[in-house]
Every structure is written in structure tokens, then in C-alpha cells.
Amino acid sequence: MKTKDFLLGVAAGAAIAVGGILNLICKAYLTGDLATTAKILGSFLFPVGLITVCFLGLNLFTGKIGFLFDKKPGYPLFLVNIFIGNIVGAAFVGFLCLLCSSGPHGTAFLNSALAVTNSKSDAVTTVGGAFKTLGFACLCGILVYLAVYFFKLFKNPVLKCIGIMIPIALFVYFGFDHCIANAFYFSFGVGAKNPWCLLNLALAVIGNSIGAIVFHEFKKLIVKRIEKKREA
């Protein structure tokens, strides 16, 4: 496993955590009548993390897992390497936020992380909830794949940013589970001292992977059919 790939994975995890911070700030300080505004604003600020990842060429697991069957035999080890890096980066930023969450303003910030952590942990305490989380994670995997695909498709930097923002804002707004973002939330909220967060994280990894891989393979099938029709 290459150290460079790992470090780029750590940086990617930290970048996603920054997007999580922006989302939590909106939830923490825009309350009451502004709660809806906070949800929308947080959803559109969160993509800053993936925009950073894409423009800097960092290694994000959920952005690369979809191409699993297109790469060389060593690709799975590469994915494991960057996944560990992503978790380390996201968790490190989460623990830093926890250390800095003292005082009245910090308490509101911490409470927003605790609310997200408890909500995601409680969601998997039943079989139905676990399957729902898995489904949400699959949808998240598809949306992240689309965001990365649009980034590669468009040449204009503004269109690249828009192509990332819309799919990512959708998954944040609807509360879909992203394994790296959840690693940040859980480390900040210290899992709300709830072991169910580990199950949530595992389901998020599986769902994100399934969503991205299946959608990518489906896209390849459609492209092949279109090409055959053009040749006919």
C-alpha cells in the first residue's frame, strides 16, 4: 500500500469533514424559524468538501469504488488503503472539533453533532431501520458517483462545481448515509456512546459501494447499447 495514496485519502476524509462542519454550523446556529433555511443552506455548503477533493485530486473511497471492476487486480487494496485514510482524516477532524467545542457557542455546535449521531445510530436499531439505512446509503453512492461523473464530464470549472453541488446537496438534504461523513459525525459526537453507530457505518460502506458499482455497470450497459445502435 502506497503512503502517498493513504495521505491523499486522509486529506480527502478531512475535506469531507469540513463539509460536515459547515452543515453542522447551519444546524447549530440557524434554529427556530430558520430551521428550514439551515437545512437547505447546510445541504448546499456540504459539497465544498467533494469540490475540494475533486479539484485537488484527492482519494475518496466513495468517489472511486464504482470503478472496482474496471481497474487492475491491485485496485481493491488501493481502495482499502484510501478508505482507511478517509476514516482517519474524517475522525481526526471530528475529534479536533470535539476538543474545541467548549463554551456556549461550542456547546450548540456539539449538540448538532450529537443530534445527527443519535439519529443515525437509532435508525439501525431495528431490522426495518437497518434496511432503510442500507437503501439510503445505496442512493447516496449513486449521487456521489454522479457528482464525480459530472466533474469529469464538464470542462468549465463553474459547471464542474454545479455538477457536484446538486447531487451532493440532494443526499445531504434527504439525510442519506455517506460512510466518510458519518465517520466525522460519529467521532465528533463520540458515537453518542452508542455502539449502533458502528452498524450504521458498516451499512453505509456497503450501501455506498453497491450504489456506485451497480449504477456504473448499468451506465456502461446503456452506453454499449447506444454505441451498437449507432453502428447498426
Side-chain angles (χ1 to χ4, degrees), residues 10-153:
V10 172
I16 296 301
V18 170
I21 289 173
L22 296 174
N23 185 33
L24 290 180
I25 286 175
C26 294
K27 293 177 181 292
Y29 305 116
L30 298 177
T31 58
D33 294 338
L34 295 175
T36 301
T37 301
K39 187 174 182 180
I40 296 173
L41 181 60
S43 299
F44 278 95
L45 287 177
F46 184 94
V48 167
L50 187 58
I51 289 172
T52 302
V53 168
C54 290
F55 276 97
L56 295 184
L58 306 179
N59 290 332
L60 183 66
F61 173 80
T62 51
K64 296 183 179 296
I65 184 63
F67 308 98
L68 176 62
F69 297 119
D70 292 351
K71 301 294 184 178
K72 297 178 180 179
Y75 195 67
L77 287 177
F78 166 76
L79 290 174
V80 171
N81 189 18
I82 66 172
F83 174 74
I84 295 172
N86 291 167
I87 296 295
V88 169
F92 178 72
V93 174
F95 285 124
L96 283 181
C97 290
L98 180 62
L99 292 175
C100 299
S101 61
S102 59
H105 296 295
T107 299
F109 188 30
L110 174 59
N111 286 339
S112 65
L114 290 172
V116 172
T117 299
N118 284 326
S119 174
K120 290 184 176 298
S121 297
D122 293 343
V124 298
T125 56
T126 64
V127 174
F131 275 105
K132 184 177 180 180
T133 297
L134 183 63
F136 280 172
C138 287
L139 292 173
C140 178
I142 292 172
L143 290 171
V144 173
Y145 175 90
L146 283 173
V148 174
Y149 174 76
F150 290 144
F151 175 81
K152 294 178 179 179
L153 178 67

Side-chain angles (χ1 to χ4, degrees), residues 155-177:
K155 302 300 181 183
N156 185 288
V158 175
L159 291 179
K160 284 178 179 289
C161 291
I162 294 174
I164 292 173
M165 289 184 68
I166 293 176
I168 302 305
L170 281 174
F171 98 63
V172 177
Y173 183 83
F174 288 109
F176 297 162
D177 290 272

Side-chain angles (χ1 to χ4, degrees), residues 61 134 137-138 179 199-213:
F61 173 80
L134 183 63
C138 287
C179 56
L199 176 58
N200 176 284
L201 191 60
L203 290 172
V205 173
I206 295 170
N208 293 165
S209 301
I210 292 173
I213 292 171

